[in-house]
Amino acid sequence: MQTGRPVAQTGVNVVRAAHGEFRVTDLERARTFYVDLLGFVETERTSDALYLRGLEERGHHSLVLRQGDSPSAGHLGFRVESEDDLDRLGHFCVGQGLEHRWLQPGGEPGQGRALRLQDPYGLPLEFFAAMQPAERMLQRFDLHRGAQIMRFDHFNCQLPDVGSAYEWYATQLGFGCSEYTAGRDDDLWAVWLQRKGNVHDLALMTGAGPRVHHLGFWVADTLSVLRACDVLAGAGWVGSIERGPGRHGISNAFFLYLRDPDGNRIELYANDYQVVDPDWEPIRWELDDPRRATFWGHAAPASWFDDAALCESVMTGELLPVVLPRGTDRPAHVT
Amino acid sequence: MQTGRPVAQTGVNVVRAAHGEFRVTDLERARTFYVDLLGFVETERTSDALYLRGLEERGHHSLVLRQGDSPSAGHLGFRVESEDDLDRLGHFCVGQGLEHRWLQPGGEPGQGRALRLQDPYGLPLEFFAAMQPAERMLQRFDLHRGAQIMRFDHFNCQLPDVGSAYEWYATQLGFGCSEYTAGRDDDLWAVWLQRKGNVHDLALMTGAGPRVHHLGFWVADTLSVLRACDVLAGAGWVGSIERGPGRHGISNAFFLYLRDPDGNRIELYANDYQVVDPDWEPIRWELDDPRRATFWGHAAPASWFDDAALCESVMTGELLPVVLPRGTDRPAHVT
Amino acid sequence: MQTGRPVAQTGVNVVRAAHGEFRVTDLERARTFYVDLLGFVETERTSDALYLRGLEERGHHSLVLRQGDSPSAGHLGFRVESEDDLDRLGHFCVGQGLEHRWLQPGGEPGQGRALRLQDPYGLPLEFFAAMQPAERMLQRFDLHRGAQIMRFDHFNCQLPDVGSAYEWYATQLGFGCSEYTAGRDDDLWAVWLQRKGNVHDLALMTGAGPRVHHLGFWVADTLSVLRACDVLAGAGWVGSIERGPGRHGISNAFFLYLRDPDGNRIELYANDYQVVDPDWEPIRWELDDPRRATFWGHAAPASWFDDAALCESVMTGELLPVVLPRGTDRPAHVT
Amino acid sequence: MQTGRPVAQTGVNVVRAAHGEFRVTDLERARTFYVDLLGFVETERTSDALYLRGLEERGHHSLVLRQGDSPSAGHLGFRVESEDDLDRLGHFCVGQGLEHRWLQPGGEPGQGRALRLQDPYGLPLEFFAAMQPAERMLQRFDLHRGAQIMRFDHFNCQLPDVGSAYEWYATQLGFGCSEYTAGRDDDLWAVWLQRKGNVHDLALMTGAGPRVHHLGFWVADTLSVLRACDVLAGAGWVGSIERGPGRHGISNAFFLYLRDPDGNRIELYANDYQVVDPDWEPIRWELDDPRRATFWGHAAPASWFDDAALCESVMTGELLPVVLPRGTDRPAHVT
């Protein structure tokens, strides 16, 4: 793996992973989970969608919940440095023949002009440079609730061929690799890619794909994670807790995986580390190292590998078919 | 000081300090502070009083806020083992000529028969054996708020002559001493007395008295204490924070002192230790040891020594006059 | 179940569960686990045993590790109020024909006169009234290490017939019930019994027995539990982590189960609640309630039910045979 | 104040604040404080200096302690993107007539080629692009001690004229402003400047200067800060604790200020927030807002404003004279 953060051949400056979108079948029920129990702040509600943000965030939304017939993942939103970056990316899409379309300012509520494109592996990306400000609630501690979600952190996606996708994100968009997992044949089984200076904005894992495995949200500390479990269990939502709390070997983060009422998965994530030095040397893990996924040795449940959200076509909104990987989609160490 | 927990000559079995009462001048404003911000649970509201409890508690109340013309301390409520204990205590009052009166069941809402008496030093005590059950909210984490107050822990009172009062509580009511402070002349400057098996149910400090210095409430951990500060400051109640957070040398507890809107003082208190062994050896501290009050060396503010709630007569409700101590009422180390 | 804490028909005043003993096959290796990694303080080392204590403790030991050919549980040590209590208990043993023997002062290092007896269900008990003091390390934070073990908390044992044993401990020794689990036929599947005023000194669970399931040690907070996992995993002892961290439904405590190098099990335990009121109403749980064992819904591993330490005869030191329960030894919800 | 992160007119890409240097009069005593008590990792020791790093760090050092006759601040080390950046900065120094000198690789142990320069306000800066790797101890939790220092975070300096210095750092080196304090005459009293994407790499406060007020080190969470207090007090180093723990209004960070045995000041710092968006709007605070410095309203001690480390000339090592500010050097709210 390459050290540091490579130069993007497209010339596009990606700032960070910024927001995700899930389709949910019952907006009210989803609101109970995300707002009442987990403590997301509601910025705006339209007839068919909720726009939520974390306590630290100063923009309109970092999570979109859109009414749909079945759960799935909408777009993965990345913030770029400027409007020029959007233009450069538009040219690139035309040149490469990538499916894409433009959204005018406000086409997505609270957001400036945006470009949606399907990456060569099927992931539904969105890029934008401007977002409408919203009140930052960081120091309104009296209004903090539940897991005290601070901000969006990262996307984690499953793809049948991680190696090619890694090359594309590194070369075209300048993503740097912080850590990676080598498969049993020394192939690239998973990779953690970053732009914003912590462990990742985007993780790619080998699996049936394209699928969005989870959206990762930052919380302030380990206690916020424990409180999320207590709050969910106390309210009778114990079935939402899928895996954790625990510490990841990879990333060192303290984590918890939750399933929303439609089965969409989010991660609460705290305490990873800084990756800003240009000579950062990616950290290698072996797939079957028992401390890799959970540093404390706990096996992940099979559902964690089996289930993930299907992706939408950015052109039609239809769900994309899934391709199985040639190699294994999980470590030996699964319950 | 005597080791362990002495036998009560009255034959009365005191179980624990159980609830306190403050007079407040504005019940609504007090409710905002105690319920909305700190997270007490409201059990009952009458025309002139609020009955509150902590999240762990299974009885009707551990804090009574009663409308009054000026702030002050009402009774200090202790739970005894049985109704027989109340009778024994009644006989003792008669024999000793202590001012006292009986409350019939329900005379204090949610409480059984009770005996109120003025101790020889002026403190307004109440003893009872039965309290009406209330829903325990310990595992309704989804409803926990603010400082997440768990339960009542202790009373702290100022008296001009701590030595005599210590003798009375130890001899007549069987309180054991966990820790104490020796004054500059080797006199007893302050004493921490317990029945329930942790550091204290009742602390007595040298000062103008009789006054109730604070009511101490138990919280689950240090993070609850930090959160209380954040919540109060976030809501614009920064003036409520008087001292701390910090660790006490005495008791080892993690503490925070707050003033309610009327200036009545409570302590949030976590993480002291177990004192159940009969051969417990009281721990001695010197008044001017900089780690005694705050283990980290911080000086307490002068207000912490100057201000405390006047006590009511259990017979008339009138406020008792205050007597100054002959010796010093504070360590050298005060801001 | 009976409310409160019953009167002991033997007249014996049990203060608390005080210390446990494991046989280990390699004292050095056990020392690494308990002292270097978990942070127990070593008080004394003899040719064949280690005497350890927690940071808060002021007595000679709360954990004895004794060299042996195979892992097993030695005696379960309870502290009583006075030497008279020991005599009363000796008479009781004679009257009931219970196997027992006396240890002279120092017969167990650091301990006064003691009575060892086999309870009617096979558990190897020890009672004592005096222990040699040791330096209390509570405020030597600079020397705290690992999980920062504070003090001994409780024993948990498996027996084939919990109902009878509960009657014996309640009636003869005055143990009160804080919580219990009802089996599928409404029988008593498990019971949490206390003397010292928190959830338990002794828990009895239905299972192959007599066996000692674990020794429970108190830690100051949830963070100490997480740190224990990190320290063990960081040192390459990830195999020691058997179950948790998590929150118990029963007791509300935050827990972690560890296996020492010989497979003996200890629990790190924090944040339960106070049980000192005489009218305490035992809390009932159904065996198959998913929040009972782990409030967050996690299934316990099968090993947690299968494995436990065999008990020694207090007369011969030989390991006692095990009897299977008639009913089930585990909930439906096990990995 | 300008939004986002401006373009550096020098063309130099500063990655982050990377390490600081203090002169200490007794290396052994300093080692006790920094390594034994706070938990820094020692990388290298020469005859007259110690090179320390945090647990998360992968480079040779982030703190240099150099033997000297009196305490003072050595250089403030910034990492740049590449060797070309160093050359650009060298040209800039020549063009501007700034005092500067080159260090060859290894001239500072463990470091590549470096440029030292005195900024126009007297601060002794160092820039480098390469550092020798060292073992990262992040997941060796078994070796973590004390405050569990993770990494270097920022410099805080006092200058008599903050406004000019802000212009220079923003314009020439591309520092963005996250927050600032307006003085009583609406002048710029203090400014928090960043390159690495959190609140600051460099803070400038109005005061007698040039002086280095403190070096800020990142810790994982609030509990690490509390533990630092406990460890220092437990070891008898209570005099090292100058201010805090508390939460800053500015930056929202949880903080603690410590003085080393020579009086040099460091800050332990946790839980600030992400500042990577190009349209970041600097947050304004008024100098006398009681929640500005400590969100909970606590006044800072006078020593916090009075004391700071003198700066060395990068050419001669001599201490630079100090100039007083025209305006006030502190808020109204000081003990």
Side-chain angles (χ1 to χ4, degrees), chain A residues 170-209:
Chain A
T171 309
Q172 302 302 340
L173 294 175
F175 279 81
C177 172
S178 53
E179 308 203 20
Y180 66 102
T181 298
R184 287 171 205 135
D185 303 324
D186 208 42
D187 53 316
L188 188 62
W189 190 84
V191 66
W192 280 256
L193 300 175
Q194 66 88 19
R195 288 289 305 174
K196 70 181 171 299
N198 72 339
V199 174
H200 58 321
D201 290 275
L202 175 64
L204 303 174
M205 302 193 304
T206 296

Side-chain angles (χ1 to χ4, degrees), chain B residues 223 230 233 244 247 291 298, chain D residues 223 230 233 244 247 291 296 298:
Chain B
L223 270 280
D230 282 337
R247 185 177 300 286
R291 299 195 298 181
H298 300 51
Chain D
L223 271 280
D230 282 337
R247 184 178 300 287
R291 300 195 300 180
W296 306 336
H298 300 51

Side-chain angles (χ1 to χ4, degrees), chain C residues 28-269:
Chain C
E28 252 337 290
R29 201 175 46 163
R31 196 190 174 288
T32 300
F33 178 73
Y34 287 103
V35 176
D36 296 343
L37 294 172
L38 294 185
F40 278 89
V41 181
E42 184 176 325
T43 304
E44 184 176 346
R45 179 168 192 163
T46 63
S47 62
D48 72 338
L50 277 168
Y51 296 84
L52 309 181
R53 65 187 196 277
L55 297 165
E56 174 186 325
E57 290 175 316
R58 44 184 281 290
H60 184 272
H61 60 267
S62 64
L63 176 61
V64 183
L65 302 173
R66 194 156 48 86
Q67 175 74 43
D69 294 335
S70 64
S72 67
H75 62 281
L76 313 181
F78 289 89
R79 184 163 195 145
V80 295
E81 189 86 10
S82 69
E83 297 291 328
D84 291 350
D85 289 300
L86 294 182
D87 292 330
R88 275 191 285 273
L89 196 57
H91 292 309
F92 174 73
C93 287
V94 171
Q96 299 281 317
L98 290 177
E99 286 195 310
H100 67 285
R101 65 185 175 97
W102 289 94
L103 272 68
Q104 289 316 300
E108 179 166 314
Q111 189 176 269
R113 188 174 64 128
L115 179 63
R116 291 207 181 161
L117 65 92
Q118 213 87 32
D119 85 6
Y121 314 95
L123 298 176
L125 310 182
E126 178 183 79
F127 296 85
F128 69 97
M131 184 158 273
Q132 186 179 312
E135 189 189 347
R136 199 156 161 269
M137 311 298 275
L138 181 57
Q139 297 190 323
R140 289 302 308 271
F141 293 98
D142 51 319
L143 303 180
H144 293 195
R145 292 286 178 266
Q148 304 182 192
I149 306 289
M150 285 291 144
R151 60 178 186 257
F152 185 75
D153 188 75
H154 64 261
F155 304 109
N156 183 306
C157 302
Q158 284 176 304
L159 294 175
D161 179 3
V162 164
S164 312
Y166 162 62
E167 285 301 328
W168 191 82
Y169 278 93
T171 308
Q172 302 302 340
L173 294 175
F175 279 80
C177 172
S178 54
E179 308 204 19
Y180 66 102
T181 298
R184 286 170 206 137
D185 303 324
D186 209 41
D187 53 315
L188 188 62
W189 190 84
V191 65
W192 280 256
L193 299 175
Q194 66 88 19
R195 288 288 305 173
K196 70 180 173 297
N198 72 338
V199 173
H200 58 321
D201 289 275
L202 175 64
L204 303 173
M205 303 193 304
T206 296
R211 296 192 300 174
V212 173
H213 187 270
H214 66 261
L215 305 182
F217 290 90
W218 184 266
V219 293
D221 51 27
T222 55
L223 271 281
S224 300
V225 173
L226 304 186
R227 195 182 310 121
C229 294
D230 282 337
V231 166
L232 288 167
W237 285 64
V238 71
S240 307
I241 303 172
E242 184 186 33
R243 178 184 167 199
R247 184 177 300 287
H248 282 314
I250 282 190
S251 84
N252 196 51
F254 197 78
F255 71 87
L256 176 71
Y257 292 97
L258 301 174
R259 306 292 292 269
D260 80 7
D262 282 293
N264 298 307
R265 185 185 287 109
I266 65 167
E267 180 183 17
L268 305 187
Y269 181 89

